[in-house]
Amino acid sequence: MRRLDDKGAVIDRAKPLNFTFDGKPYQGFAGDTLASALMANGVRIVGRSFKYHRPRGFWGAWVDDPNAIMSVTLNGIELPNCLATTTYLENGMEARAVNAWPTAKHDIKGGLDLFHRFLGAGFYYKTFIWPDWHLFEPMIRKMAGLGAVTPDHLDEFHSDQIHDHCDTLIIGGGASGLTAARVAAEAGQNVVLVDDQAQPGGSSYQTGTIADTAAADWIAAQMAAIKTAGGRVLHQTTAYGVYDHGLIACVENGAFGTAPRLWRIRAGRAVLATGAIDRPLTFAGNDKPGVMSLFASAEYLVRYGVLASDNAVVLANHSMAKEAVATLTAAGMAITQIDPDTPGLKAGGWQVTNGISVSGRHHPSDVVLATSGLTPLVHLWRHAGGKLTWDDARQAFLPDGQLSNMQAIGAANGTFDLNHALDEAQAAGLGQSHPRQDTSHHLTPVWPKPGSKGRQWIDFQHDVTLKDIEVAARENYVSVEHLKRYTTLGMASDQGKTSNMAGLAAMATLKGATIPEIGTTTFRPPFVPIPLEVYHGAKTKQLYHPVKRLVLEARHRDADAALCEYGGWLRPGWYGNGAAADHIRDEAMTARTTAGILDGSPLGKIEVMGPDAEAFVNFVFYNTMTTLKPGHIRYGFLLTEGGIVYDDGVVSRIDNDRFLISCSSSHVDGVRSLLENWRQDGNNPDRIFIHDLTMQWATITVTGPKARDILNGLDLDADVSADALPHMRFIETHHQGHPLRIARVSFSGDLSFELSIPSRHAPNLWDKVTAVAGTMDAHPIGIEAMSILRAEKGYIMVGKDTDGETMPQDVGFGIPRRKKTNAFVGDRSLHTDKANVPSRKVLVGLSVPHGEPPLVTGAHVVTDGANQRSLGYVTSSYHSPFLSRAIALGMIEGAVERVGDEVTVWHDGSNRRARIVSPCFLDPNGERLHA
Amino acid sequence: MQIFPCPFCGPRDEREFHFAGEAGKTRPDTTGEVSPDDWATYLHMHRNEKGRTREVWVHTPCAEMFIMERNSVTMEVLGTECLRAKS
Ligand SMILES: [Zn+2]
């Protein structure tokens, strides 16, 4: 293998680049791929196969190579799964073969090849059943995978997300694509041409002249004309998938290690000019390094100036090989041609091939250049829903019929004659169809011969041999989709680009059927491996799901709040540095002895108004709302139609036709859509209006024995005495001239006021409340303390103390179910057999002896006796500083009948005893609540 | 990715939409007797048609619900109309 001085259209010899492969230093040129640079340096073994760790050399020169997968490091960034044939060389690259340790040439796992009898077709299926998958699992896991990612590099791996559109998208920049793009652009269309290489032209460099012009000059002239006519060209950009409604996804690669750019292109129409790839021949030893594609070796020569060898055996069954053979011969390669249909063909050599043996005669050569025809790249055509037809003359599946938004031309369409391809491209550029012409080439089919001798490779990357296909056929995995999964044929990272046709043909012979009768497997995106990271763009971490921020956040930060995410909001969990448990305990005590100030702003504030508002609120709520008077507040549940508790909250009636729904902070978006749903689908939307004011109003909750004293210290023009403002009432007043709503509701079980004010005026009110509170030893408290307070009182948190089966009667609210006469959401579901069984899980308290630690949340209450069975579980559990004991809530089967009983609580292998009690541990008579 | 035409906002990316249910389902009058079978049908039975379907969708940014007819095999959108015109 050597570099020729007078060839190599895309390399820049003025820019030498240094790199290493498996630790050894080499030199290449700008414009080289890792593969062409390695070939120029005479490196023949570049990887190992996945299963048997057989040595692998280059088969292809671009995306169709199944063998040369490398892990590449540059400037401290390591990327796995780099195909050497499509990775452009950069100075300082360190490449390492994957699946090979310590190097591709000397692989200690190479011995696996001796066990090939165990790793044959169906290995995974069979070992899952017998003898025991776990015997093999550690070894398989260690072998699997194609390299490692530098994880910290991913932090900056943000792909640009570009949405674009055009009249005509040309996919592929070979002779056909360039011609179509030029014609379309010159006809005034908005054209985008995507080409996956750095230098367009496709395989045109192999054609000496096009339209009587040297290929390189012709390519340059087309590019210039396209740009002059206003066409856009995206280099190193692969169209890898066609999705619904004509979306074509393209990925644009930049310098090594940079995140590729994702283009989502909507085109009026697409022209598929993706070309065709060479097809391997199936013969004994055909996987040995040195056996390579004839067209790829011509491509290495014309693009990169690399001659694969000075002597070669060519195995070709068609007339298209002629031009490539002539090109290689002219460059100095001595070629012996052998008929690939000769029985007993065998590639000799130990690690790399040393030529072809046939009929007792050895033809020595360093490389064997094989081709059995061209396979059009119809992947995108199939993604778009296009059909295929089998063509006997070409022995290939070709695009069939019409698609309204895609047209295939050139080699992708099976049009291998250049003059025919250019005619097609001309027509396609103008949006005209062009009938496919008969090919001038001759091809004698040469397909795998089942039953013939020697190990013959079908899938080079996944080590699927002809024998494996025979085993699959014998065991009746004959459908192509079964064949693929049973043998793993075509399931490697090349997705069967080189192996599928040979596999189908082998199965056809085994079944005595034709290739089109066997059919193809489904073509699915992506056409080439795409890093999953391209999809998220900048949308990661905080930006993936931005938290909602409190208007008082700065105040909380000044007070050393520990800000955590609760239901999508960034809220104070507690205040102060140091041990969280101490702060939480102190805050819970403060709220019971003086008062706690809580930022309750995330509490839902959804207004429902209009002439039908009363009937609507009454319908969406479980509890009767028609009897609610203006100025009053009522607690209620929102159910699903299945009767399951979806959310709880309080409803304030502001006026006859105006209600305020205060749902849980984490459910606001869900509740709003649920309300909108019922408003528009089932009601007259002109008589009901829904307005979510959650963000526009802030709420400051003052709770505790001193709460009223604090309000009295705010100089409000309002009477908040127990007589004027009893529990579950609200008043509207002002603070410094701004509207203020004072609601007497309580989530702590103590005297509590919720002060709601337009958000921009909240900081003033917060400052004043905390200043007055400070004079009474009352302080801000976080969500964690509030969670303890509400559990002491036995108040539930929906989603924590309830689950996907909880109905309102299970948590102590059975009256509307029996008494409410109007229809309401979920009503009928509350009277099914299941809703009536006595074994439903119901809300109870669980009490442990004084001095014992709290139960574990999630611990199961179990039956006593031999066959332990879960009766339910602990949903909330805390140490209550005010009660000086552990408290817990739980959902337990049939527990209403069992209050007072002792039960066993199981967790992680150990049992404890607890007593079923009322969930209300504090102030059962409501004296504190109504104070 | 699909493009759905909201009757209020025009063609928009599918990620802005939510499926709300099959069109034409009527809630039984629960103030009268509703048999367990009828209620179960209302809750759980869906036509799940292959081919032409008629569905209710929500366009999240404008919060409007609408009827969309589409082909569940080819993903072709056959048309959209306001829900309220039909209610
Ligand atoms: Zn809209």
mmCIF file of all heavy atoms in Angstrom, chain A residues 243-245 247 264 266 641 677-678 680 686 821 823-829, chain B residues 1-3 27 30-31 34-36 39 42-43 63-65 75 77 83-84:
data_model
loop_
_atom_site.group_PDB
_atom_site.id
_atom_site.type_symbol
_atom_site.label_atom_id
_atom_site.label_comp_id
_atom_site.label_asym_id
_atom_site.label_seq_id
_atom_site.Cartn_x
_atom_site.Cartn_y
_atom_site.Cartn_z
ATOM 1 N N TYR A 243 -39.202 11.476 8.082
ATOM 2 C CA TYR A 243 -40.217 11.269 9.105
ATOM 3 C C TYR A 243 -41.571 11.778 8.617
ATOM 4 O O TYR A 243 -41.707 12.241 7.478
ATOM 5 C CB TYR A 243 -39.792 11.955 10.413
ATOM 6 C CG TYR A 243 -38.511 11.379 10.973
ATOM 7 C CD1 TYR A 243 -37.272 11.865 10.577
ATOM 8 C CD2 TYR A 243 -38.537 10.310 11.868
ATOM 9 C CE1 TYR A 243 -36.093 11.319 11.062
ATOM 10 C CE2 TYR A 243 -37.371 9.755 12.360
ATOM 11 C CZ TYR A 243 -36.150 10.266 11.961
ATOM 12 O OH TYR A 243 -34.983 9.721 12.441
ATOM 13 N N ASP A 244 -42.559 11.703 9.531
ATOM 14 C CA ASP A 244 -43.924 12.061 9.156
ATOM 15 C C ASP A 244 -44.004 13.450 8.529
ATOM 16 O O ASP A 244 -43.288 14.369 8.902
ATOM 17 C CB ASP A 244 -44.826 12.023 10.392
ATOM 18 C CG ASP A 244 -45.037 10.582 10.855
ATOM 19 O OD1 ASP A 244 -45.030 9.688 10.003
ATOM 20 O OD2 ASP A 244 -45.190 10.385 12.063
ATOM 21 N N HIS A 245 -44.933 13.585 7.601
ATOM 22 C CA HIS A 245 -45.235 14.840 6.926
ATOM 23 C C HIS A 245 -44.005 15.413 6.226
ATOM 24 O O HIS A 245 -43.803 16.621 6.170
ATOM 25 C CB HIS A 245 -45.832 15.867 7.906
ATOM 26 C CG HIS A 245 -47.176 15.445 8.438
ATOM 27 N ND1 HIS A 245 -47.947 16.228 9.255
ATOM 28 C CD2 HIS A 245 -47.885 14.309 8.255
ATOM 29 C CE1 HIS A 245 -49.069 15.594 9.568
ATOM 30 N NE2 HIS A 245 -49.052 14.425 8.982
ATOM 31 N N LEU A 247 -40.793 15.425 6.899
ATOM 32 C CA LEU A 247 -39.648 16.004 7.602
ATOM 33 C C LEU A 247 -38.408 15.177 7.291
ATOM 34 O O LEU A 247 -38.406 13.956 7.432
ATOM 35 C CB LEU A 247 -39.900 16.002 9.109
ATOM 36 C CG LEU A 247 -38.702 16.504 9.913
ATOM 37 C CD1 LEU A 247 -38.656 18.019 9.878
ATOM 38 C CD2 LEU A 247 -38.760 16.016 11.341
ATOM 39 N N ARG A 264 -33.574 20.092 10.705
ATOM 40 C CA ARG A 264 -34.876 19.493 10.403
ATOM 41 C C ARG A 264 -35.416 20.266 9.199
ATOM 42 O O ARG A 264 -35.791 21.430 9.319
ATOM 43 C CB ARG A 264 -35.819 19.638 11.591
ATOM 44 C CG ARG A 264 -35.401 18.843 12.818
ATOM 45 C CD ARG A 264 -36.427 19.014 13.926
ATOM 46 N NE ARG A 264 -36.146 18.162 15.073
ATOM 47 C CZ ARG A 264 -35.438 18.545 16.144
ATOM 48 N NH1 ARG A 264 -34.932 19.761 16.208
ATOM 49 N NH2 ARG A 264 -35.251 17.711 17.146
ATOM 50 N N ARG A 266 -37.898 20.839 5.987
ATOM 51 C CA ARG A 266 -39.154 20.563 5.283
ATOM 52 C C ARG A 266 -38.977 21.054 3.852
ATOM 53 O O ARG A 266 -38.729 22.235 3.627
ATOM 54 C CB ARG A 266 -40.315 21.325 5.916
ATOM 55 C CG ARG A 266 -40.471 21.039 7.384
ATOM 56 C CD ARG A 266 -41.767 20.349 7.675
ATOM 57 N NE ARG A 266 -41.843 20.015 9.082
ATOM 58 C CZ ARG A 266 -42.417 18.919 9.555
ATOM 59 N NH1 ARG A 266 -42.979 18.069 8.723
ATOM 60 N NH2 ARG A 266 -42.450 18.682 10.837
ATOM 61 N N GLU A 641 -62.785 10.736 35.806
ATOM 62 C CA GLU A 641 -64.037 10.035 35.512
ATOM 63 C C GLU A 641 -64.027 8.625 36.103
ATOM 64 O O GLU A 641 -65.066 8.008 36.295
ATOM 65 C CB GLU A 641 -64.281 9.978 33.998
ATOM 66 C CG GLU A 641 -64.935 11.226 33.434
ATOM 67 C CD GLU A 641 -66.429 11.340 33.707
ATOM 68 O OE1 GLU A 641 -66.839 11.211 34.882
ATOM 69 O OE2 GLU A 641 -67.181 11.552 32.736
ATOM 70 N N ASN A 677 -60.842 21.376 29.481
ATOM 71 C CA ASN A 677 -61.402 20.230 28.781
ATOM 72 C C ASN A 677 -62.912 20.135 28.971
ATOM 73 O O ASN A 677 -63.672 20.046 28.007
ATOM 74 C CB ASN A 677 -60.737 18.983 29.372
ATOM 75 C CG ASN A 677 -60.557 17.912 28.348
ATOM 76 O OD1 ASN A 677 -61.387 17.750 27.469
ATOM 77 N ND2 ASN A 677 -59.471 17.171 28.455
ATOM 78 N N TRP A 678 -63.334 20.203 30.224
ATOM 79 C CA TRP A 678 -64.774 20.108 30.505
ATOM 80 C C TRP A 678 -65.529 21.350 30.033
ATOM 81 O O TRP A 678 -66.671 21.274 29.626
ATOM 82 C CB TRP A 678 -65.029 19.873 31.996
ATOM 83 C CG TRP A 678 -64.757 18.449 32.396
ATOM 84 C CD1 TRP A 678 -63.771 18.007 33.232
ATOM 85 C CD2 TRP A 678 -65.466 17.284 31.968
ATOM 86 N NE1 TRP A 678 -63.811 16.642 33.347
ATOM 87 C CE2 TRP A 678 -64.839 16.174 32.581
ATOM 88 C CE3 TRP A 678 -66.550 17.072 31.104
ATOM 89 C CZ2 TRP A 678 -65.283 14.867 32.375
ATOM 90 C CZ3 TRP A 678 -66.984 15.770 30.913
ATOM 91 C CH2 TRP A 678 -66.353 14.683 31.537
ATOM 92 N N GLN A 680 -64.838 23.216 27.362
ATOM 93 C CA GLN A 680 -65.042 23.253 25.915
ATOM 94 C C GLN A 680 -65.755 22.029 25.378
ATOM 95 O O GLN A 680 -66.447 22.102 24.376
ATOM 96 C CB GLN A 680 -63.678 23.385 25.209
ATOM 97 C CG GLN A 680 -62.986 24.701 25.481
ATOM 98 C CD GLN A 680 -61.654 24.796 24.755
ATOM 99 O OE1 GLN A 680 -61.556 24.478 23.591
ATOM 100 N NE2 GLN A 680 -60.622 25.226 25.463
ATOM 101 N N ASP A 686 -69.084 29.858 25.925
ATOM 102 C CA ASP A 686 -69.372 31.298 25.970
ATOM 103 C C ASP A 686 -69.968 31.720 27.305
ATOM 104 O O ASP A 686 -70.167 32.903 27.554
ATOM 105 C CB ASP A 686 -70.335 31.670 24.843
ATOM 106 C CG ASP A 686 -69.675 31.506 23.482
ATOM 107 O OD1 ASP A 686 -68.424 31.658 23.413
ATOM 108 O OD2 ASP A 686 -70.380 31.208 22.503
ATOM 109 N N THR A 821 -76.898 15.136 44.494
ATOM 110 C CA THR A 821 -77.872 14.723 43.483
ATOM 111 C C THR A 821 -77.463 15.142 42.073
ATOM 112 O O THR A 821 -77.803 14.484 41.108
ATOM 113 C CB THR A 821 -79.269 15.305 43.794
ATOM 114 O OG1 THR A 821 -79.119 16.702 44.037
ATOM 115 C CG2 THR A 821 -79.885 14.627 44.999
ATOM 116 N N ALA A 823 -75.101 15.713 38.774
ATOM 117 C CA ALA A 823 -74.002 14.936 38.171
ATOM 118 C C ALA A 823 -72.675 15.609 38.492
ATOM 119 O O ALA A 823 -72.603 16.837 38.602
ATOM 120 C CB ALA A 823 -74.201 14.852 36.663
ATOM 121 N N PHE A 824 -71.649 14.823 38.656
ATOM 122 C CA PHE A 824 -70.308 15.374 38.833
ATOM 123 C C PHE A 824 -69.286 14.393 38.252
ATOM 124 O O PHE A 824 -69.573 13.201 38.077
ATOM 125 C CB PHE A 824 -70.009 15.679 40.303
ATOM 126 C CG PHE A 824 -70.070 14.495 41.229
ATOM 127 C CD1 PHE A 824 -68.926 13.755 41.536
ATOM 128 C CD2 PHE A 824 -71.279 14.123 41.821
ATOM 129 C CE1 PHE A 824 -68.980 12.674 42.401
ATOM 130 C CE2 PHE A 824 -71.341 13.042 42.688
ATOM 131 C CZ PHE A 824 -70.190 12.309 42.987
ATOM 132 N N VAL A 825 -68.115 14.909 37.946
ATOM 133 C CA VAL A 825 -67.083 14.092 37.295
ATOM 134 C C VAL A 825 -66.732 12.898 38.187
ATOM 135 O O VAL A 825 -66.414 13.060 39.353
ATOM 136 C CB VAL A 825 -65.819 14.930 37.015
ATOM 137 C CG1 VAL A 825 -64.706 14.064 36.425
ATOM 138 C CG2 VAL A 825 -66.145 16.086 36.078
ATOM 139 N N GLY A 826 -66.814 11.733 37.638
ATOM 140 C CA GLY A 826 -66.433 10.518 38.358
ATOM 141 C C GLY A 826 -67.552 9.886 39.166
ATOM 142 O O GLY A 826 -67.337 8.856 39.810
ATOM 143 N N ASP A 827 -68.744 10.493 39.140
ATOM 144 C CA ASP A 827 -69.811 10.041 40.051
ATOM 145 C C ASP A 827 -70.159 8.561 39.917
ATOM 146 O O ASP A 827 -70.194 7.831 40.908
ATOM 147 C CB ASP A 827 -71.075 10.916 39.901
ATOM 148 C CG ASP A 827 -71.530 11.110 38.444
ATOM 149 O OD1 ASP A 827 -70.919 10.490 37.546
ATOM 150 O OD2 ASP A 827 -72.475 11.891 38.224
ATOM 151 N N ARG A 828 -70.393 8.128 38.685
ATOM 152 C CA ARG A 828 -70.837 6.740 38.511
ATOM 153 C C ARG A 828 -69.769 5.734 38.954
ATOM 154 O O ARG A 828 -70.082 4.650 39.447
ATOM 155 C CB ARG A 828 -71.216 6.515 37.040
ATOM 156 C CG ARG A 828 -71.694 5.111 36.693
ATOM 157 C CD ARG A 828 -72.954 4.729 37.452
ATOM 158 N NE ARG A 828 -73.385 3.357 37.163
ATOM 159 C CZ ARG A 828 -72.911 2.270 37.775
ATOM 160 N NH1 ARG A 828 -71.964 2.382 38.684
ATOM 161 N NH2 ARG A 828 -73.380 1.071 37.466
ATOM 162 N N SER A 829 -68.511 6.128 38.818
ATOM 163 C CA SER A 829 -67.423 5.215 39.196
ATOM 164 C C SER A 829 -67.377 4.960 40.701
ATOM 165 O O SER A 829 -66.792 3.973 41.139
ATOM 166 C CB SER A 829 -66.078 5.786 38.743
ATOM 167 O OG SER A 829 -66.024 5.834 37.339
ATOM 168 N N MET B 1 -41.668 14.566 12.318
ATOM 169 C CA MET B 1 -42.631 15.304 13.141
ATOM 170 C C MET B 1 -43.774 15.833 12.288
ATOM 171 O O MET B 1 -43.548 16.312 11.195
ATOM 172 C CB MET B 1 -41.941 16.463 13.828
ATOM 173 C CG MET B 1 -41.612 16.135 15.273
ATOM 174 S SD MET B 1 -40.690 17.442 16.002
ATOM 175 C CE MET B 1 -39.261 17.517 14.934
ATOM 176 N N GLN B 2 -44.937 15.731 12.845
ATOM 177 C CA GLN B 2 -46.110 16.109 12.070
ATOM 178 C C GLN B 2 -46.425 17.603 12.237
ATOM 179 O O GLN B 2 -45.999 18.236 13.192
ATOM 180 C CB GLN B 2 -47.304 15.283 12.539
ATOM 181 C CG GLN B 2 -47.038 13.790 12.455
ATOM 182 C CD GLN B 2 -48.180 12.979 13.000
ATOM 183 O OE1 GLN B 2 -49.211 12.849 12.372
ATOM 184 N NE2 GLN B 2 -48.010 12.451 14.195
ATOM 185 N N ILE B 3 -47.177 18.121 11.300
ATOM 186 C CA ILE B 3 -47.645 19.503 11.350
ATOM 187 C C ILE B 3 -49.167 19.424 11.432
ATOM 188 O O ILE B 3 -49.809 18.840 10.563
ATOM 189 C CB ILE B 3 -47.245 20.275 10.069
ATOM 190 C CG1 ILE B 3 -45.720 20.325 9.929
ATOM 191 C CG2 ILE B 3 -47.863 21.661 10.068
ATOM 192 C CD1 ILE B 3 -45.037 21.363 10.749
ATOM 193 N N ARG B 27 -71.157 11.681 27.253
ATOM 194 C CA ARG B 27 -71.181 11.237 28.656
ATOM 195 C C ARG B 27 -72.593 10.781 29.014
ATOM 196 O O ARG B 27 -73.556 11.511 28.772
ATOM 197 C CB ARG B 27 -70.767 12.408 29.550
ATOM 198 C CG ARG B 27 -70.550 12.006 31.001
ATOM 199 C CD ARG B 27 -70.069 13.177 31.839
ATOM 200 N NE ARG B 27 -69.467 12.693 33.085
ATOM 201 C CZ ARG B 27 -70.147 12.477 34.197
ATOM 202 N NH1 ARG B 27 -71.457 12.694 34.246
ATOM 203 N NH2 ARG B 27 -69.532 12.023 35.283
ATOM 204 N N THR B 30 -75.650 10.775 34.287
ATOM 205 C CA THR B 30 -75.426 10.032 35.536
ATOM 206 C C THR B 30 -76.439 10.377 36.617
ATOM 207 O O THR B 30 -76.364 9.830 37.714
ATOM 208 C CB THR B 30 -73.999 10.290 36.060
ATOM 209 O OG1 THR B 30 -73.797 11.709 36.139
ATOM 210 C CG2 THR B 30 -72.963 9.674 35.151
ATOM 211 N N THR B 31 -77.378 11.279 36.314
ATOM 212 C CA THR B 31 -78.428 11.517 37.320
ATOM 213 C C THR B 31 -79.479 10.405 37.230
ATOM 214 O O THR B 31 -80.294 10.238 38.133
ATOM 215 C CB THR B 31 -79.110 12.889 37.117
ATOM 216 O OG1 THR B 31 -79.632 12.947 35.786
ATOM 217 C CG2 THR B 31 -78.121 14.015 37.323
ATOM 218 N N VAL B 34 -77.266 4.260 35.160
ATOM 219 C CA VAL B 34 -76.300 3.938 34.115
ATOM 220 C C VAL B 34 -75.773 2.544 34.434
ATOM 221 O O VAL B 34 -75.212 2.320 35.509
ATOM 222 C CB VAL B 34 -75.134 4.953 34.084
ATOM 223 C CG1 VAL B 34 -74.155 4.584 32.967
ATOM 224 C CG2 VAL B 34 -75.645 6.377 33.890
ATOM 225 N N SER B 35 -75.974 1.609 33.519
ATOM 226 C CA SER B 35 -75.567 0.225 33.789
ATOM 227 C C SER B 35 -74.039 0.150 33.845
ATOM 228 O O SER B 35 -73.348 0.961 33.220
ATOM 229 C CB SER B 35 -76.088 -0.700 32.694
ATOM 230 O OG SER B 35 -75.323 -0.515 31.513
ATOM 231 N N PRO B 36 -73.519 -0.834 34.591
ATOM 232 C CA PRO B 36 -72.058 -0.977 34.660
ATOM 233 C C PRO B 36 -71.434 -1.111 33.269
ATOM 234 O O PRO B 36 -70.370 -0.540 33.002
ATOM 235 C CB PRO B 36 -71.862 -2.263 35.465
ATOM 236 C CG PRO B 36 -73.105 -2.419 36.268
ATOM 237 C CD PRO B 36 -74.212 -1.823 35.431
ATOM 238 N N TRP B 39 -71.306 2.302 31.510
ATOM 239 C CA TRP B 39 -70.273 3.171 32.107
ATOM 240 C C TRP B 39 -68.883 2.692 31.719
ATOM 241 O O TRP B 39 -68.012 3.484 31.365
ATOM 242 C CB TRP B 39 -70.447 3.219 33.628
ATOM 243 C CG TRP B 39 -69.533 4.230 34.277
ATOM 244 C CD1 TRP B 39 -68.475 3.971 35.087
ATOM 245 C CD2 TRP B 39 -69.598 5.659 34.159
ATOM 246 N NE1 TRP B 39 -67.864 5.126 35.487
ATOM 247 C CE2 TRP B 39 -68.530 6.193 34.933
ATOM 248 C CE3 TRP B 39 -70.445 6.540 33.469
ATOM 249 C CZ2 TRP B 39 -68.306 7.558 35.039
ATOM 250 C CZ3 TRP B 39 -70.198 7.905 33.583
ATOM 251 C CH2 TRP B 39 -69.143 8.401 34.347
ATOM 252 N N TYR B 42 -68.207 3.732 28.235
ATOM 253 C CA TYR B 42 -67.871 5.157 28.177
ATOM 254 C C TYR B 42 -66.425 5.391 28.636
ATOM 255 O O TYR B 42 -65.679 6.151 28.024
ATOM 256 C CB TYR B 42 -68.856 5.941 29.045
ATOM 257 C CG TYR B 42 -68.417 7.346 29.375
ATOM 258 C CD1 TYR B 42 -68.325 8.326 28.377
ATOM 259 C CD2 TYR B 42 -68.090 7.700 30.684
ATOM 260 C CE1 TYR B 42 -67.927 9.611 28.685
ATOM 261 C CE2 TYR B 42 -67.684 8.986 30.996
ATOM 262 C CZ TYR B 42 -67.598 9.939 29.993
ATOM 263 O OH TYR B 42 -67.189 11.208 30.290
ATOM 264 N N LEU B 43 -66.020 4.735 29.706
ATOM 265 C CA LEU B 43 -64.683 4.968 30.258
ATOM 266 C C LEU B 43 -63.571 4.343 29.418
ATOM 267 O O LEU B 43 -62.537 4.952 29.215
ATOM 268 C CB LEU B 43 -64.577 4.370 31.671
ATOM 269 C CG LEU B 43 -65.177 5.127 32.840
ATOM 270 C CD1 LEU B 43 -64.826 4.401 34.145
ATOM 271 C CD2 LEU B 43 -64.645 6.557 32.911
ATOM 272 N N ALA B 63 -54.897 26.883 24.000
ATOM 273 C CA ALA B 63 -55.796 26.132 24.880
ATOM 274 C C ALA B 63 -57.136 25.803 24.239
ATOM 275 O O ALA B 63 -58.080 25.450 24.929
ATOM 276 C CB ALA B 63 -56.011 26.865 26.206
ATOM 277 N N GLU B 64 -57.222 25.901 22.921
ATOM 278 C CA GLU B 64 -58.502 25.601 22.264
ATOM 279 C C GLU B 64 -58.546 24.144 21.828
ATOM 280 O O GLU B 64 -57.580 23.596 21.313
ATOM 281 C CB GLU B 64 -58.691 26.508 21.039
ATOM 282 C CG GLU B 64 -58.904 27.974 21.384
ATOM 283 C CD GLU B 64 -60.310 28.263 21.936
ATOM 284 O OE1 GLU B 64 -61.191 27.400 21.835
ATOM 285 O OE2 GLU B 64 -60.497 29.379 22.480
ATOM 286 N N MET B 65 -59.693 23.540 22.033
ATOM 287 C CA MET B 65 -59.893 22.172 21.574
ATOM 288 C C MET B 65 -60.513 22.219 20.181
ATOM 289 O O MET B 65 -61.252 23.151 19.855
ATOM 290 C CB MET B 65 -60.825 21.432 22.521
ATOM 291 C CG MET B 65 -60.314 21.437 23.941
ATOM 292 S SD MET B 65 -61.412 20.567 25.057
ATOM 293 C CE MET B 65 -60.840 18.906 24.843
ATOM 294 N N MET B 75 -50.800 8.915 8.406
ATOM 295 C CA MET B 75 -50.557 10.125 9.202
ATOM 296 C C MET B 75 -50.996 11.395 8.476
ATOM 297 O O MET B 75 -50.723 12.497 8.927
ATOM 298 C CB MET B 75 -49.074 10.283 9.613
ATOM 299 C CG MET B 75 -48.542 9.129 10.407
ATOM 300 S SD MET B 75 -49.380 8.975 11.993
ATOM 301 C CE MET B 75 -49.484 7.215 12.136
ATOM 302 N N VAL B 77 -53.162 14.448 7.518
ATOM 303 C CA VAL B 77 -54.211 15.210 8.179
ATOM 304 C C VAL B 77 -55.262 15.564 7.136
ATOM 305 O O VAL B 77 -54.952 16.150 6.101
ATOM 306 C CB VAL B 77 -53.642 16.479 8.844
ATOM 307 C CG1 VAL B 77 -54.769 17.321 9.432
ATOM 308 C CG2 VAL B 77 -52.642 16.102 9.923
ATOM 309 N N LEU B 83 -64.264 22.884 17.734
ATOM 310 C CA LEU B 83 -65.127 21.954 18.452
ATOM 311 C C LEU B 83 -66.499 22.563 18.660
ATOM 312 O O LEU B 83 -67.521 21.908 18.549
ATOM 313 C CB LEU B 83 -64.488 21.599 19.797
ATOM 314 C CG LEU B 83 -65.214 20.578 20.658
ATOM 315 C CD1 LEU B 83 -65.255 19.226 19.966
ATOM 316 C CD2 LEU B 83 -64.531 20.447 22.003
ATOM 317 N N ARG B 84 -66.523 23.862 18.953
ATOM 318 C CA ARG B 84 -67.800 24.466 19.355
ATOM 319 C C ARG B 84 -68.821 24.514 18.220
ATOM 320 O O ARG B 84 -70.010 24.466 18.457
ATOM 321 C CB ARG B 84 -67.599 25.850 19.965
ATOM 322 C CG ARG B 84 -67.186 26.925 19.020
ATOM 323 C CD ARG B 84 -67.200 28.259 19.718
ATOM 324 N NE ARG B 84 -66.156 28.346 20.752
ATOM 325 C CZ ARG B 84 -66.082 29.335 21.622
ATOM 326 N NH1 ARG B 84 -66.979 30.289 21.639
ATOM 327 N NH2 ARG B 84 -65.097 29.398 22.495
#
